[in-house]
Amino acid sequence: MIVGVDIGGTKIAAAVFAQGDGGRLRMASPTRVVPTPATASGTAVVRAVAELVSGFGDADAVTAVGVGTAGVVGSDGAIASSTDAIAGWAGLPLRAALEDAVGIEVSVLNDVHAAAVAEAAQGAGAGSRDVLMVTVGTGIGGAVVFDEILRRGETGTAGSLGHVEVSMRDALADRRCPCGGRGHVEAVASGPAMEQTYLERTGARRGLRDIAEAAAHGDAVAVEVIEEGARLLGRALASANALLDVGTIAIGGGVAEIGERYLGAVAESYRDAAMPGPARARIVAAALGVDATLTGAAITAAQR
């Protein structure tokens, strides 16, 4: 059995996976969730993960642990860089620390990279050799699977779609991305970015779910904000796929849950901007939802 773990800024989730029909990994236990001790320390997070793993029973039955985590993960399984969402996370030798704590082999991936592994193998990208996974939520993340293998890149940042530049009108061009840059698609098309755009145009502070609901009931500004964010993402995807030329683009994350109004606008903008060949790529909703990172982490641990 493999334990898959998803470490986020607010919660840690874990579940046991076992091999099912056709060699596919299937979840073999209920998911267990605990709050992330984000304000304590990286060591406290390691302890919380170890306690979750040990809580699944006989340690001898668990052969490996796979982790998908927030932050950039180096080839040595250490957190190369991260935001301050988890105190003391950047620089933590996560894989080594977890292996010491649980006594078995541990694999560590960035959370979006892990989700891409799962979607490519068992989700929306199944059957495609090349997949670009995009998550749109608080930020915009991405990951690339070529020839059915995750490409992490030299520094672990391959697929960072949120930092692709897009041209836009002046009112949005000055937006600063969380990374510090300007002109990045994350600064104008993430969930918080669209909330900010709605605030600027109406003076009303509303969450994205409320904005989507307003759009569904005919709020013209809400419709404009959602479709504009979708179009900007579509253009960024066209730029990225001019280089990558993948056959499937899977879009997940909380913003994608808006549904067809959003995904349709992404696809239309993508095809308008893409080169003729890459324009044929399938643009689909991610299929595995909140289980994608857990599943991809477990798949990676099984492969190791």
Side-chain angles (χ1 to χ4, degrees), residues 110-138:
N110 164 266
D111 49 6
V112 182
H113 284 185
V117 169
E119 291 288 352
Q122 300 183 182
S128 295
R129 295 192 62 84
D130 304 325
V131 177
L132 172 61
M133 174 74 190
V134 183
T135 58
V136 190
T138 303

Side-chain angles (χ1 to χ4, degrees), residues 3 47 55 78 116 127 164 185 194 206 222 229 249-250 260 293:
V3 175
R47 284 198 299 268
V164 170
V185 68
M194 287 192 282
R206 305 180 75 172
I249 300 172
E260 184 54 35
T293 294

Side-chain angles (χ1 to χ4, degrees), residues 8-206:
T10 59
K11 64 182 177 64
I12 304 170
V16 170
F17 289 77
Q19 194 171 57
D21 295 340
R24 292 162 63 96
L25 284 188
R26 58 176 179 82
M27 197 176 289
S29 76
T31 302
R32 297 182 177 181
V33 179
V34 299
T36 303
T39 59
S41 66
T43 301
V45 175
V46 169
R47 284 198 299 268
V49 172
E51 289 171 6
L52 274 175
V53 173
S54 64
F56 286 111
D58 185 0
D60 292 337
V62 177
T63 56
V65 175
V67 175
T69 178
V72 176
V73 178
S75 59
D76 58 354
I79 306 300
S81 63
S82 73
T83 67
D84 57 3
I86 301 176
W89 204 232
L92 182 75
L94 182 58
R95 184 171 71 197
L98 282 172
E99 287 181 340
D100 287 345
V102 301
I104 54 179
E105 188 170 9
V106 176
S107 299
V108 180
L109 287 177
N110 164 266
D111 49 6
V112 182
H113 284 185
V117 169
E119 291 288 352
Q122 300 183 182
S128 295
R129 295 192 62 84
D130 304 325
V131 177
L132 172 61
M133 174 74 190
V134 183
T135 58
V136 190
T138 303
I140 296 179
V144 183
V145 174
F146 272 139
D147 291 329
E148 301 178 352
I149 299 172
L150 174 71
R151 306 299 178 174
R152 298 172 64 167
E154 184 71 20
T155 62
T157 61
S160 296
L161 184 88
H163 306 290
V164 170
E165 290 190 10
V166 288
S167 60
M168 63 200 78
R169 58 189 182 79
D170 292 344
L172 295 180
D174 280 341
R175 287 266 187 92
R176 188 173 292 278
C177 181
C179 74
R182 296 187 190 274
H184 294 183
V185 68
E186 181 171 309
V188 292
S190 65
M194 287 192 282
E195 292 169 359
Q196 178 64 26
T197 301
Y198 189 85
L199 173 63
E200 290 171 357
R201 295 180 187 174
T202 66
R205 189 177 298 279
R206 305 180 75 172

Side-chain angles (χ1 to χ4, degrees), residues 1-3 29 35 37 44 114 118 120 135 139 141 149 153 178-180 195 233 243 251 258 271-272 278 280 286:
M1 294 191 299
I2 305 286
V3 175
S29 76
T135 58
I149 299 172
C179 74
E195 292 169 359
L233 178 66
L243 178 65
I251 303 177
I258 292 173
R271 301 200 195 288
D272 284 346
R280 296 196 296 269

Side-chain angles (χ1 to χ4, degrees), residues 201-263:
R201 295 180 187 174
T202 66
R205 189 177 298 279
R206 305 180 75 172
L208 190 64
R209 288 183 184 277
D210 287 343
I211 296 171
E213 183 71 16
H217 287 86
D219 181 325
V221 178
V223 170
E224 178 185 64
V225 166
I226 288 172
E227 292 186 350
E228 182 177 57
R231 288 194 299 270
L232 289 167
L233 178 66
R235 283 159 49 187
L237 289 171
S239 294
N241 212 26
L243 178 65
L244 300 173
D245 194 18
V246 302
T248 297
I249 300 172
I251 303 177
V255 174
E257 293 174 6
I258 292 173
E260 184 54 35
R261 177 187 299 277
Y262 177 79
L263 292 173

